Amino acid sequence: MSDGSICFDRMADRYDATRGGDERARHLADALAPHLRPGRTALEVGVGTGAVAAALNDLGTSVVGVDLSPAMLLHARTRLGPVVSVGNGHALPVRSEAVAAVYLVWVLHLVGDVAAVLAECARVLVPGGRLLTILSSAPDPDEITEAEGDVHIRVRPKRDTSEAVSAAAAAAGLRPVGVTETPPQVWAQSPAEVVEHFERRDYSGLWDVDDHRWAADVEPAVDRLRALPDQDRPRRRVSRNPLLAFERRR
């Protein structure tokens, strides 16, 4: 995108299968729900395929959503109906002071300007409304993360550190009301599966990597993954993500 944000059209038909699907969505919704008021409308920026929004609907929160990707929204509409639309977090198609809550899940590392997106989120919140964001993070240290090394940071420096997001939120007139993390999510994954994700460039940070950087930064990580024993044996993996909560000043 021209503003530096990343659109997931190319992953729409494989997104759920490569990102944990409904099970992980329910896990994330359970982490968000205690910070939301049941019966009030929440806006999801980067609604994607609608999996998290559908899980929150089941927990009593009415969700509307926007996303850059028309292809992702085709899947969201099957889950949510006509309450989602194409929209850019840098210029939300929502009037000011319109919603009680805004949340973003694994989105701020994909946007061109974190501060601009958070300012837009603050604009559409009612006074006293909540902004929640679940940030990206690597899985807990394990055999696979050790083999990968710092490859993901090397190909795309991390934009959504807790410090950077908190500073941008403060500049947007949002005060912090909680910093926690999602409960541990446990899943099984083999080295061969991770290698396949690299080779198919399933990770968005790999989409624009040129041949030179691929050879210098990515291939060594893939080689280390291939060198792990028992390539097809699933390993126990654990992830937990920072969850930051803010409130628009009254």
Side-chain angles (χ1 to χ4, degrees):
M1 304 300 294
S2 60
D3 60 25
S5 298
I6 295 173
C7 177
F8 269 65
D9 275 348
R10 66 187 288 171
M11 284 296 297
D13 292 338
R14 291 190 289 122
Y15 184 85
D16 287 340
T18 60
R19 281 12 181 229
D22 289 334
E23 180 179 356
R24 182 165 285 187
R26 287 190 295 269
H27 182 83
L28 296 170
D30 286 341
L32 292 165
H35 303 275
L36 298 170
R37 298 182 180 94
R40 303 291 296 275
T41 298
L43 168 67
E44 181 172 1
V45 178
V47 69
T49 64
V52 175
L56 280 171
N57 281 342
D58 291 341
L59 296 174
T61 296
S62 177
V63 180
V64 297
V66 298
D67 200 279
L68 283 176
S69 168
M72 293 281 273
L73 290 175
L74 289 176
H75 296 275
R77 289 190 182 100
T78 66
R79 286 187 166 109
L80 305 172
V83 295
V84 295
S85 65
V86 175
N88 191 324
H90 293 78
L92 291 170
V94 180
R95 63 180 173 83
S96 298
E97 300 186 3
V99 293
V102 178
Y103 69 90
L104 310 93
V105 177
W106 300 343
V107 167
L108 289 178
H109 66 295
L110 303 171
V111 304
D113 187 334
V114 170
V117 170
L118 292 186
E120 270 293 277
C121 292
R123 178 185 65 78
V124 304
L125 281 172
V126 299
R130 286 285 177 91
L131 170 69
L132 308 173
T133 181
I134 295 178
L135 306 181
S136 64
S137 67
D140 287 0
D142 59 27
E143 189 178 23
I144 289 174
T145 56
E146 183 177 349
E148 288 178 325
D150 62 353
V151 61
H152 295 288
I153 300 299
R154 288 173 66 86
V155 297
R156 181 189 294 153
K158 187 169 173 59
R159 303 175 182 178
D160 64 334
T161 65
S162 294
E163 296 78 12
V165 171
S166 295
L174 301 165
R175 69 178 186 90
V177 292
V179 178
T180 182
E181 65 180 14
T182 60
Q185 174 80 16
V186 180
W187 79 102
Q189 191 174 43
S190 70
E193 289 174 312
V194 180
V195 168
E196 184 178 5
H197 286 315
F198 273 95
E199 291 179 334
R200 295 192 310 192
R201 301 200 183 208
D202 285 339
Y203 305 120
S204 59
L206 303 178
W207 294 350
D208 296 326
V209 175
D210 61 29
D211 290 345
H212 174 75
R213 291 193 66 198
W214 187 273
D217 295 330
V218 181
E219 283 185 6
V222 171
D223 289 343
R224 289 192 297 270
L225 287 164
R226 286 199 179 104
L228 293 176
D230 303 320
Q231 281 284 293
D232 294 319
R233 175 174 60 83
R235 272 61 161 177
R236 180 180 185 272
R237 310 204 71 193
V238 181
S239 66
R240 60 200 89 211
N241 299 85
L243 194 167
L244 279 57
F246 304 94
E247 184 177 275
R248 179 176 166 180
R249 300 184 187 279
R250 297 179 185 273

